[in-house]
Amino acid sequence: MRSGSIARSRFLLAGCFWLATAAGAIAQPQRLALVGGMLLDGYQVPPLHHAAVLVEGDRIVAVGRAAELEIPADTEVVDTRGRVMLPGLIDLHAHLAVLGHGEYGRWFSWLDEEGVDVEDVMEISARQLLLAGVTTAVDLGAPLEASLAVRDRIARGEVAGARMLMAGPWITRRVSFWPENYQIGVSSPEEASAAVERLADAGVDVIKAWVGLTREDYQAIADTANRRGLRVHAHVYAPDDVRNALEAGIHVLTHAGSAGTPPYEPDLVRDIVVAGRPVVITGAHRVWVFPATLDFPERLQDPRLRQDLPPAMYEELQRSFTDFHRLPYFQTTDRQMFFGDASLGQWIEAGAVMGMGTDSGTPLNFHTEALWREIKAHVDLGMEPLDAIAAATRIGARILGMQADLGTVEPGKLADILVVDGDPRFDITALARPVLVVKDGRVHQR
Ligand SMILES: [Zn+2]
């Protein structure tokens, strides 16, 4: 992908997708039935055994026992006997513009040098998410035009990918070393409010509030977002930021507690629980990625990465993994791990409303596995598997305000259904083994 091929790189990547899509997706049937497997519908109730789910177009129209459900003659039937069906998963915090490269600075300059269009990267990421069973994801920080273009291409079915909700650039008082078009720097509540208006006018789905923001900034962002019908996800760690975001009515507290600091004061945790304010901790990449990679560095050469990425991109990722323990990103991982259990545990014990988000795409945190790892981290710390699955489905949909369309397998909902090998109630790693993924009534598989 050096100079001569720069102009073609977008075309070539797009070509890859069409091949992959042609191989991975079965043409949309008028009617689809998934028949015979056990159904976990997204509620915390016992499963429906030997179930059938009937889909027409992009919607679920009937759910029942396979023996009792009438399946019209012209229906494409997919045998799910011996498998488990559940709602498609929802990742509330992903970054499509990165896909696990070790170092952000190097990644963005590599994209520039090679002339790679960030939209191509975002489409690879969205497809990885989909094939990992993530049918809906929220991107919390990427260039505005690219975000909307990728979201819309996926929505039109032109590329296979998770249904995306896009934040576009985040709003911050401290502009970081990420490229300029990933962030909107503000220095007053008025500017923060104007930034929300601008993003809303452009057509984003959510607002991401990043760092250095005052209580008044959060208030301005939340008020403007409410007026525009958008929800705000705030990146908060410091207790004061969490308190300010909570009291300003910020809708989702993301990362809270996972950055290597001791658990919060009980008052703060209790107030969040009482308010029913959702917490999305993005914990697994803080506590799992580094030790797992020390133990099994071979995970970095996961064949799925080689399969999904153009060769030059794969090689650049591999280069970035050399001596990964020296990467700036991991210099505070020891503190994150030291406090990891307590930080995540405080929300589980207190009974907070929790959604699942992964920060997937951050260094060594691949879209191919981030969400089931996050769910497993919650289960390992005492969350009931059914509760963890609900957090990643039904509750995630509620957090997005999309519960009328997403999050459960029941008539009237969009047909987003994951079929896995094994019962995740007893072995949550079954979520790592998607047999097929249905999104909007279309079947996808790796
Ligand atoms: Zn993030």
Side-chain angles (χ1 to χ4, degrees), residues 93-95 140 208 235 255 359 362:
H93 192 142
H95 291 282
L140 289 179
K208 161 87 169 280
H235 163 117
H255 302 312
D359 235 345
T362 54

Side-chain angles (χ1 to χ4, degrees), residues 1 9-10 13-14 16-17 95-99 107 110-111 116-132 150 153-154 159-162 304-311 313-314 317 367-368 446:
M1 298 213 304
S9 74
R10 184 169 169 80
L13 281 163
C16 290
F17 285 122
H95 291 282
L96 301 193
V98 285
L99 29 69
W107 172 245
W110 184 82
L111 293 182
V116 177
D117 189 332
V118 72
E119 291 181 25
D120 291 330
V121 177
M122 295 178 79
E123 288 181 1
I124 295 173
S125 300
R127 182 169 177 275
Q128 288 186 317
L129 287 170
L130 178 67
L131 296 180
V150 169
R153 275 201 292 278
I154 293 169
V159 292
R304 288 173 297 187
L305 297 178
R306 192 187 284 278
Q307 190 184 338
D308 295 345
L309 275 43
M313 193 180 287
Y314 177 83
L317 252 69
H367 302 294
T368 48
R446 191 173 271 282

Side-chain angles (χ1 to χ4, degrees), residues 39-48 386 425:
L39 175 66
L40 298 169
D41 64 4
Y43 292 95
Q44 290 110 308
V45 298
L48 183 62
L386 266 188
R425 293 176 306 161

